[in-house]
Amino acid sequence: MAAWDLSVKVEDLGPDAPSVTISVASDLHVGGVILKLVEKTQMQRDWSDHALWWEQKHQWLLRTAWTLEKYGIHADARLLFMPQHKPLKLGLPNGKTVMLRACFSNPVFQTVMGICRMLNIRHPEELSLLRPVEEKKKKKDKDLTEEIYDLTEVPLSSVSRPCLYNGMPAHFADSEQSEGVYKMLSVTQPPPAPEVIAKQYRPASVVDKSHIHGRWLDSSRCLMQQNIQENDRLWLRFKYYSFYDIEPKYDVVRLTQLYEQARWAILLEDIDCTEEEMMLFGALQYHINKVALSEPQMMSSNAALDDLESALQSLEVKMEGESSSASDLLENMTAPDLNDYLKIFRPKRLTLKGYKQYWFKFQDTSISYFKSKEESIGEPIQQINLKGCEVAPDVNVAAQKFLIRLLIPAPEGMNEVYLRCENEQQYAQWMAGCRLASKGKSLADSSFQSEIQSIRSFLAMQKTNSGSSNNSAASDESINTHSLVSPRYHKKYKPKQLTPRILDAYQNVAQLSLTDALMRFLQIWQALPDFGLSYVVVRFKGSRKDEVLGIAPNRLIRIDLGVGDVVKTWRYNNMKQWNVNWDIKQMAIEFEGNVNIAFGCVTADCKIVHEFIGGYIFMSTRSREKSDTLNEELFHKLTGGHEAL
């Protein structure tokens, strides 16, 4: 083989240094090229993280056994020799920024896994990186340099579960400074000042939100391929709203950051909620901040003992589960009766809500209704199967309004049905029944009573305690109400009008521990009707106007841009296949019942939509047994499309 010259730019020699030229032959492998480069630079250092980047082709040469010929490299190739891990500024859900070394050569999916390992966040598949939204800079803000928490010196470990020291990962226990970083990650931030909230970017419409969701990075390509340079800024956020196995003992950072992301979504009106819910969110934030200041850290004193304790506990639960007696089993097999008079309403476009009363009967996973109790022996007017349906509350305790909103799957989309209950007791039972039935469980299921209980305690939190507002909490005037609610309420109410309302709601949560308050906050957030929706502006095949596609953890929603109404809903579990025509950038999905849809994406690459759908299907395959090992190959198979291959 004839020898020829190859020139390579070596990053470590500095930006102005000339390229290093080495003599190579086409059958030399990439590892040999690196060896020659290192010898020629005569620098004593650890080169193990370095690799070659091919500028024209936008790819790393990571297969060191491949020859130059196999890669197709000739003398005109512009190659760079540089580290694969580079510093990156990372904006966290809590608004703080950390500087850390991230991998620029692996697919983003693996890079996020490495980042989450360092920050001690379990289930990294739920998070991803996105390009930040440019904030409006005012002239006055020039002097404000933001604090950056530096983690660039922390070695990257490949262990999936870091060793804990005093309840925190050992790599944070090295210095006082890194301990401070862990505290920032694992402790909730105090409520932001109203002017900080006002300065943040607030999406004004669904279209604005869709522009943000178009900024997600591609999980199957590396950072370098997406033109991310060292020291660039990216955001780390929860992308898939399907949170698996939240365990407060091990998920201190994950739980804190998830709460922060939810809190900012509510403060910046990224998700809609009612006024009552906003007061409850405000009260919970006030309580969480109060408790976080007084309660010692959530770090456990002795992690080894805790592990032993939890292992014994789960063993105890298993033993109990296996030894239930025959009489217990029989008792569980007889389902409680659930039948009563309820009102029903089926919304059609442009009709007023007219509720009609019928006698309802719950059987297995379906509801039947009859004209009256006497006629319930015969054929029902209709039987509604609730398996796979969606159940959403529409409740206002003060106004005694208890509605259950059901979205029933049908071939052409979803049918909407509202059930109206008379009182709290009836609502709790029927809501619990509907929730179980939607998951395919009957009333005989052991969780029926606990479901009722949690709904009732949820309602209790929304009650206002008239007369008790003059207690000690009300005299606490230090409450800054405008830090606890979104800007819409800053305009609508004065602080002295908000204070009694937030303190009123606070009475119902004041007894909760820090962990319980965080979990309750997330629970209410997840119960909001728009929870978990990511938006993309699309154009459906055959349509002349842009529409919005809402992507949720279990369904796709077609939204009319003009009115903001949901036009159709399709569920993933009715999906037979989906694919992308990459040439014309069009996505086609086929559902059961010969329903086919196709659309092109306007505000995002169709790879983003493909990845969202595939990602949610991947999230639904996770199970307890396999929870520790991630099936990375399956993730890329579902989200990658042909580009990932």
Side-chain angles (χ1 to χ4, degrees), residues 190-242:
E195 50 275 19
V196 174
I197 301 177
K199 225 169 56 181
Q200 299 282 337
Y201 172 75
R202 285 210 316 281
S205 65
V206 177
V207 177
D208 283 358
K209 291 176 193 175
S210 70
H211 284 291
I212 295 175
H213 295 147
R215 294 170 168 271
W216 288 106
L217 293 187
D218 186 333
S219 295
S220 40
R221 290 159 66 222
C222 70
L223 292 175
M224 285 286 284
Q225 285 170 321
Q226 301 181 63
N227 297 319
I228 306 294
Q229 307 296 323
E230 70 176 274
N231 292 322
D232 274 1
R233 176 189 286 281
L234 290 174
W235 282 353
L236 178 73
R237 293 289 184 272
F238 288 87
K239 173 179 181 180
Y240 297 103
Y241 291 90
S242 166

Side-chain angles (χ1 to χ4, degrees), residues 343-497:
K343 289 179 177 164
I344 187 170
F345 162 68
R346 294 174 164 286
K348 299 270 188 301
R349 283 204 161 194
L350 306 171
T351 55
L352 295 165
K353 292 198 175 183
Y355 284 90
K356 279 192 172 173
Q357 186 165 296
Y358 293 101
W359 177 259
F360 280 79
K361 208 170 179 179
F362 220 118
Q363 287 161 319
D364 287 337
T365 58
S366 58
I367 295 180
S368 310
Y369 60 95
F370 309 83
K371 261 203 170 135
S372 64
K373 186 177 180 177
E374 293 69 43
E375 292 181 25
S376 63
I377 309 153
E379 282 292 302
I381 297 171
Q382 194 196 5
Q383 185 177 30
I384 305 171
N385 186 7
L386 300 180
K387 202 169 172 183
C389 80
E390 263 161 62
V391 189
D394 185 355
V395 174
N396 182 338
V397 182
Q400 287 294 296
K401 170 181 142 191
F402 301 103
L403 292 185
I404 300 171
R405 181 169 168 253
L406 300 171
L407 283 170
I408 318 287
E412 67 287 350
M414 300 288 251
N415 292 331
E416 203 173 7
V417 175
Y418 282 88
L419 298 181
R420 185 168 208 137
C421 301
E422 283 303 305
N423 51 41
E424 229 174 277
Q425 173 69 22
Q426 194 185 45
Y427 168 77
Q429 290 183 330
W430 285 83
M431 185 66 176
C434 292
R435 276 190 186 159
L436 289 182
S438 70
K439 296 175 193 156
K441 296 175 180 175
S442 74
L443 301 180
D445 194 84
S446 56
S447 59
F448 180 52
Q449 289 305 329
S450 62
E451 187 68 54
I452 293 178
Q453 216 30 60
S454 89
I455 292 167
R456 293 187 74 167
S457 67
F458 193 70
L459 293 175
M461 283 168 59
Q462 294 192 24
K463 279 189 189 145
T464 51
N465 303 338
S466 53
S468 65
S469 52
N470 56 356
N471 59 20
S472 60
S475 62
D476 183 357
E477 279 307 314
S478 65
I479 175 170
N480 187 351
T481 51
H482 282 179
S483 297
L484 304 171
V485 294
S486 68
R488 182 190 308 173
Y489 298 98
H490 300 185
K491 297 187 186 93
K492 198 171 173 184
Y493 298 110
K494 294 190 171 75
K496 63 169 186 273
Q497 292 170 297

Side-chain angles (χ1 to χ4, degrees), residues 496-545:
K496 63 169 186 273
Q497 292 170 297
L498 284 170
T499 304
R501 293 187 64 185
I502 289 177
L503 287 175
D504 221 0
Y506 167 69
Q507 301 309 311
N508 299 317
V509 297
Q511 279 70 45
L512 295 175
S513 71
L514 181 55
T515 308
D516 287 346
L518 289 172
M519 293 297 268
R520 190 52 60 92
F521 191 98
L522 294 175
Q523 210 182 346
I524 303 170
W525 172 54
Q526 289 179 38
L528 295 175
D530 295 344
F531 166 76
L533 283 177
S534 304
Y535 302 99
V536 181
V537 176
V538 297
R539 184 166 290 193
F540 280 90
K541 195 176 175 179
S543 169
R544 288 190 167 177
K545 57 176 187 179

Side-chain angles (χ1 to χ4, degrees), residues 67 251 312 474:
T67 61
D251 284 327
L312 285 170

